[in-house]
Every structure is written in C-alpha cells, then in structure tokens.
Amino acid sequence: MAGSAVGTLSRVTGRGAGSVVGGHAILAVEPRALERFSAGRRVVLVSGTNGKTTTTKLLASAMSSATGAPVVTNAAGANLPPGLAAVLAAGSPGAPAVLEVDEAWLGLVSKEVNPAVVVLLNLSRDQLDRNNEVRQVAARWQRACETLPPASVVVANADDPLVAWAAGPARRALWVGAGLSWTSDAGGCPRCGGQVRFADQVGFASAGRPAEGAMGAPGGWQCSSCGFGRPQPELWLEVSEGAGRAVEASRVVHELALRLPGRCNQANALIAMAAAQALGYDAGEALSAMAQVDEVAGRYATVRADGTTARLVLAKNPAGWAEVFSMLAPPPGPVVVAINARTADGHDPSWLWDVPFERLRGRRVVAAGERSLDLATRLHYAEVDHVREPGLLAALTEAGPGRVDLVANYTAFHGYLRVSRRAGVARQAPAAHRAAPAQPERPERSHATASRGGLSTCTVALVYPDLLGTYGDAGNATVLAQRLRWRGYGAEVVTVAAGQAVPESCELYVVGGGEDLPQALAASKLLESRALHRAVASGAVVLAVCAGLQILGESFPGAGGEPVPGLGLLPCVSRPSSRPRAVGEILVQAAGRWAGLGLLSGFENHGALTQLSSGAEPVGTVCAGVGNEDGTYEGVVSGRVWGTYLHGPVLARNPGLADLLLSWVVGDLAPLEEGEAEALHAERTEHGPGERRSAEREEASLEARWWRRRQSGVAP
Ligand code: GLN
C-alpha cells in the first residue's frame, strides 16, 4: 500500500512512472521486501552488461504463453532493489517472476529471492564510475554463485571468460555458447592473471583449441598460463547469412526466427530458450512465443519529429555498439547519436573512444545529447562529417527529413521515448553548430623537423589495449596520430596486443589505464622485454595514464594489495589506499614548466594512490578531485615520459597537452582548426568540478542509504 500510494503520487505529480519511488517506500517500510514478496514464486534473475531487458522480455513472453497466466516482470527495466520490490509487491501471489537485475546488485538480490534460475549473459566495461572494474563485478557474481541454493540453475554464456569464471562455482551450471563480439575486457585471465587468447586471435592454435564442434561465434578461448578455458556448452548459436540457429549438443537444431533484429538478439533468444528449458518448458514452444516479440521497452521504437522518422536503438557501451553498426541502414543513411552522462549512463563518457565511429564516414551524422561535445570531438578525430545539435528533437529534424537511424545511450534513449509519447511537439530551433570543414589538404612534406631524424612517418605504439584499455585511453593514440596527419606528417598507430612484442623504434608510446589484475600482467611483460626502457633511452615520448603511470613508477599494488615491481621509468611509488576510490571529474592547474598548458581536465578512477619521490616533477596542482594522493598534486613527468591520472581521454580533452607531446617529437607545430576540441576543453574545465560534487552528493542517495541498512556481507 505504501508503495502504490507513493507511486501514484509520483505519477500524478508527473515526476516519473512511480515504480522506483514506490519501491523505495516499500523498502522503507519493509527492508526484507524482496525476500517477502518473492516467497512462494519461481524466480528467474537475468543479469549482464548488455541484453538484460530483451532476454527478460523474451523469457517472460515464453513463460506466459506456455502457462497462459501472467508473469511478474520488470519490463520497463527498473532493475535495482526498489524497482524489483515494486513489481514483486504488485504481482499476483504465486505467479512466477522473471526479473532483470543490475550487474552490481545481483549478489544481494539472489540472496534474498532464492532464484530457480540465474541467467548470466556477459560482462564488459560499462558505468565504470560506479562499477570501477569489470572484474570486480565478475568477482561479486562469483560470490553470488557460490552461495546460491543447491537447486538453483545458472544459465551462463560459456563464450565470455568473465562469465565462465563467475559461474564456475555454481553447483548446477547450464553452459550456452552465445558468442561474444567484444573481447577487450577479458584479455587478462580472471582466474590466474595470465593471458586469455581467443580462437580468432593469431597464435591461438598453438595454445590449444577447445573441443571442436561446440564453437559459438566467434569461438573458443583459453588462458595460456593456467589453461582455464571455455566450458563445453550444451547449446550454442550458429549464424549463417543472418539466420540464427540454436544447436543442442544432441544435434537437435532450432531455427531462431525473430522479429527483433541483429545477432545480439539471436544470442539473447538462445539464452532465454536455455533458461526456459531449465525451467522445464518446451524449447520449440518457447521459441515460437519469443518470435512474436517485436518491441522491448522502446528498443527499435519509431520516433517522429516533423518530417523525420527515426528508428530508436539503445547502445550504452562499446560492446553494445559492436552490435549496432550492422543494424544501421546502409550508407549514406543519416544517423543521430545521442549521448548523456548522467548517473544511469555513467559519468565518464571516455568509452566513446573505444567505439570505431570511423565506420560512420560517408553518412550524415548528428551528435546530440548533453555530452554531444565529447561525441563531436570523437567524430572530428574519426573524420566523420557531422553536425552538433544537443537538443534531442532538434537533432532529429537536423538529420532529416525522411528515415534516420537514432542510437542513444540510456538516459538519452529514455528522453526520446518520453518525447515520442508526447504528440505534436513543436520543432525546436536547431542551434546548429556546423562541424569544422574537413581539415586542410595534407601537403606532402619532408619531416626535417623530426627530432629522431628523417622520419617519413611517425609511429604511435598503443601498448596492450587488451590489458590497459578499460578506461578509454586508446583514444590518446588516435588524437596524437590525427594531429600529426592534419599537419601533413605521416602518422600511424600500431596496436600492440599483449601477445605481441612491443616495438622499440616508435616515436610515441601510449600506455593506458587498466584493472588491477591485467595491469600486473602488463607490467611483468614490459619488465621482461624491456622494450619500453630501450625506447625511452633512445628518446621516445611516452604518455602513461593511471595504471600506465603506476606501471612506469617504481612499484604499484597488485590485485591483492601486494607491491608489484614497476618499470622504474617514473620517480614515484603507488600504494593501496584506505580511502574510498578516487572517482570523478578532475581539474588540474598545470604548474612549473608546464604552466603554459593552463587548466587540464579529465576523469579519474583509481584505487591506488601515488607518492612522488623527492624532487620529482608533478604535472600540476589539483583544483578539484584527488590526483596522485590527496588532492594536492597530479601526475609526474620525467624526461619525455608524461604520467597522469586523467582519463577522458586526456589528449582529447586537452589538445594543448597533445601538441606539447608532439612538439617533443617533431618540433614546432602549426596551429590546427580545432573542431569541437577547444569547446570541449572549455566546457569540461567549467562544468566538470560541479558534476563531481553533485555525483558525490548522490552517494547519500536513497539507494545508498537503503543499501547501508541492509548491508549483509555482500558488497553491492
Ligand atoms: N588499477 C589501478 C587503480 O585502481 C589503475 C586504474 C586505472 O587505470 N584507472 O589504481
């Protein structure tokens, strides 16, 4: 009653759909609401970075069609405890429930609801300001699987190493080969810290291929150190010419004829089918019910503005985007991309640099949303012709008239759903900021200015992005190379995967941020080869960000807090911190020799803190945020090695720093047409600190307060 009263109040006052705030009221009155209102039901929990809402909808449709009775489900995607409490409390007693659960909360929710089935889809970088590390989420899942009731079945994607590791301790696991199109967060073995190789990677054959005949797209994987590999699936996905089939180990084949588009939805249907089988439903019947689903909480909905008709697609992280490109109308079909960075999106949009937006070249692209400047800067460096229009509807009319594809991240997506429900919206005046015209022709020129003598092409080595790519820092390599090319230099980015030798003769090296475990693997490889040492000794420029900075220092904390030796190329030592992780916008006043750079902005996200050796030179002083240690200094510079805690990526947000590093290689640089990069710098230096403060205030939110009251040994 409390929940529905508060929910109604919220609805009639126009504050929201009411289920979440109603759920808060329920939890305030009954902190054990999840346990209480799930008692007597068969409960299925569905979690994962991508595909939760769709898989939940598919499974709920299959179950309600099989039983002819309603299923309790959070179809609108309210997947934190208050949303779950609200739907469970309102559902008819005894009805089965299919609930999608936020990845970070699965442990707590599974403890309370005694699930019959837990579906684990995939894990990849998403909302890292809240989740910190993908492996931390996997570790919470693993603890959840250890403590499940003996009868619970875990339906898990065997193609995702992090999922396979998390589900390993489950007493009853049903492995499904649903494929994994984004492998970049699973390069470091979650079990031993060694290197995971995927079947489609060079060199995998020598590491031993997993059993033939059970290869879901894109294939198997195995750790080259401990041998931990893909569990043999009982059911897998085969896709040929767009048609998907679910193949059982017994060789029974089911066609996946779906109305929902794309390979990712075939994978979702496969897993939903497996969950239905685990619950005792007939697979064929389940699939025919799923085939009828044509809409999932607004995904693929049509949004209209004036003469423009858009198909709305949700993509909120690089793994999601990996599936989106194939869903777009062929070029030159226009595309609107809308990006926000609110709490539900994650406050750090650095991930935009992990999306290969270069693939949008040749289309008309409109960058929309509250973080349209971050996106426009990314498109500028990708040389995608674009227009920036922050207003959601105005962006649509800007892209039209006619049919356009519309890709939005979470809160922008919901913004569109809201406006699409309101009929007759007046056209907003487009405050169009035309993108800078294409960069000047690249004159052929000799590079006599290059400090390393007579080079025709500058090479930027991107070091181990499969271990040190978690926080979007690969974009720094893109920025460096483009700023050279736009000035007429030849420039190329060499991506050095963890299994490859680091070249020694590049002019520039970019070492990014990463999770504790893969970070230690990266350090040991670099220490062993000493290639980076030799490059630095011969005058190469290195940009080392966060984990990169820590690795290049004297030592840093490993995953268990133990000191791990660093490369000794920066005069600093990193240690574990007893304080909360440093997460948020950071603003730095460059100091000393670097004062000319002015204000530097970025996003920090680190657990360890760094102490500079006496006499070491920091980048600057911290105006907002934590920086190296305690809000005093940020970064460390030694010779031509620049260490910083700033993500963003730092060079995209601070073009002046990019040019300083480049000038160390090629000498004086001509000014550039900056596109949106300068506007982004101005916006971030102005607004970033305020955003950090408001995010910190949110720490005291209802969710957090409820969580503290309910804390029962499972980290949220
Ligand atoms: N794993 C390191 C830490 O937590 C670095 C994190 C990062 O690179 N963002 O301190």
Side-chain angles (χ1 to χ4, degrees), residues 347-370:
H347 293 294
D348 178 13
S350 298
W351 61 269
L352 290 171
W353 291 78
D354 297 327
V355 179
F357 282 115
E358 288 76 5
R359 293 176 66 181
L360 295 182
R361 283 179 195 157
R363 298 170 183 269
R364 178 174 173 72
V365 179
V366 182
E370 291 159 3

Side-chain angles (χ1 to χ4, degrees), residues 132-133 136 468 470-471 473 512-517 519 545-550 556-557 574-575 581-582 603-610 645 647:
N132 303 338
E133 291 193 345
Q136 287 182 20
L468 301 172
T470 315
Y471 303 92
D473 303 311
E515 304 183 3
D516 290 350
L517 200 63
Q519 170 178 351
V545 181
C546 202
L549 178 160
Q550 297 170 4
F556 63 89
S574 301
R575 297 198 176 84
R581 190 175 173 97
F603 196 95
E604 63 181 330
N605 190 347
H606 51 108
L609 299 177
T610 298
Y645 267 106
H647 302 293

Side-chain angles (χ1 to χ4, degrees), residues 20-271:
V20 172
V21 68
H24 279 294
I26 293 168
L27 289 169
V29 178
E30 170 53 293
R32 297 210 166 265
L34 293 180
E35 189 182 325
R36 180 164 157 192
F37 294 116
S38 61
R41 300 182 193 282
R42 276 182 112 189
V43 178
V44 181
L45 302 180
V46 179
S47 199
T49 306
N50 290 320
K52 298 185 278 289
T53 307
T54 304
T55 307
T56 299
K57 169 97 180 232
L58 291 170
L59 181 57
S61 309
M63 286 165 62
S64 66
S65 124
T67 59
V71 169
V72 178
T73 185
N74 50 344
N79 63 15
L80 298 176
L84 301 174
V87 288
L88 285 171
S92 46
V98 185
L99 305 169
E100 71 157 276
V101 184
D102 181 88
E103 307 85 275
W105 291 84
L106 181 70
L108 179 114
V109 173
S110 69
K111 265 196 163 180
E112 305 221 345
V113 305
N114 188 13
V117 171
V118 177
V119 177
L120 303 180
L121 298 168
N122 48 61
L123 282 175
S124 67
R125 63 194 66 168
D126 191 31
Q127 299 184 57
L128 290 173
D129 57 324
R130 184 164 68 93
N131 290 333
N132 303 338
E133 291 193 345
V134 188
R135 268 168 198 69
Q136 287 182 20
V137 181
R140 285 179 209 148
W141 278 17
Q142 195 186 58
R143 287 194 291 275
C145 287
E146 278 162 4
T147 52
L148 281 173
S152 301
V153 180
V154 176
V155 176
N157 184 3
D159 291 341
D160 186 330
L162 294 175
V163 170
W165 176 70
R171 268 180 258 191
R172 297 177 61 194
L174 196 168
W175 297 108
V176 182
L180 189 70
S181 48
W182 175 265
T183 56
S184 300
D185 288 304
C189 174
R191 186 159 90 179
C192 77
Q195 193 190 338
V196 172
R197 292 175 196 269
F198 291 87
D200 51 354
Q201 277 177 2
V202 186
F204 183 78
S206 59
R209 240 176 132 75
E212 283 294 330
M215 305 290 282
W221 53 268
Q222 193 163 50
C223 171
S224 50
S225 301
C226 71
F228 176 48
R230 178 206 202 207
Q232 182 69 41
E234 291 176 40
L235 181 70
W236 59 92
L237 179 64
E238 276 180 11
V239 183
S240 67
E241 288 165 17
R245 275 176 296 278
V247 183
E248 294 189 36
S250 62
R251 293 285 151 190
V252 176
V253 175
H254 308 266
E255 299 298 325
L256 299 172
L258 302 176
R259 295 200 185 166
L260 299 176
R263 195 214 62 92
C264 55
N265 286 321
Q266 293 170 341
N268 292 334
L270 176 88
I271 296 190

Side-chain angles (χ1 to χ4, degrees), residues 526-606:
L526 291 171
L527 258 184
E528 198 186 326
S529 84
R530 297 191 72 81
L532 202 55
H533 292 85
R534 287 189 288 276
V536 169
S538 68
V541 174
V542 181
L543 172 67
V545 181
C546 202
L549 178 160
Q550 297 170 4
I551 289 172
L552 266 70
E554 300 295 337
S555 77
F556 63 89
E562 73 290 356
V564 174
L567 307 191
L569 294 169
L570 283 171
C572 60
V573 173
S574 301
R575 297 198 176 84
S577 158
S578 52
R579 273 172 279 170
R581 190 175 173 97
V583 181
E585 287 282 330
I586 170 166
L587 189 63
V588 175
Q589 176 70 59
R593 289 198 286 159
W594 322 117
L597 292 173
L599 287 172
L600 299 171
S601 101
F603 196 95
E604 63 181 330
N605 190 347
H606 51 108

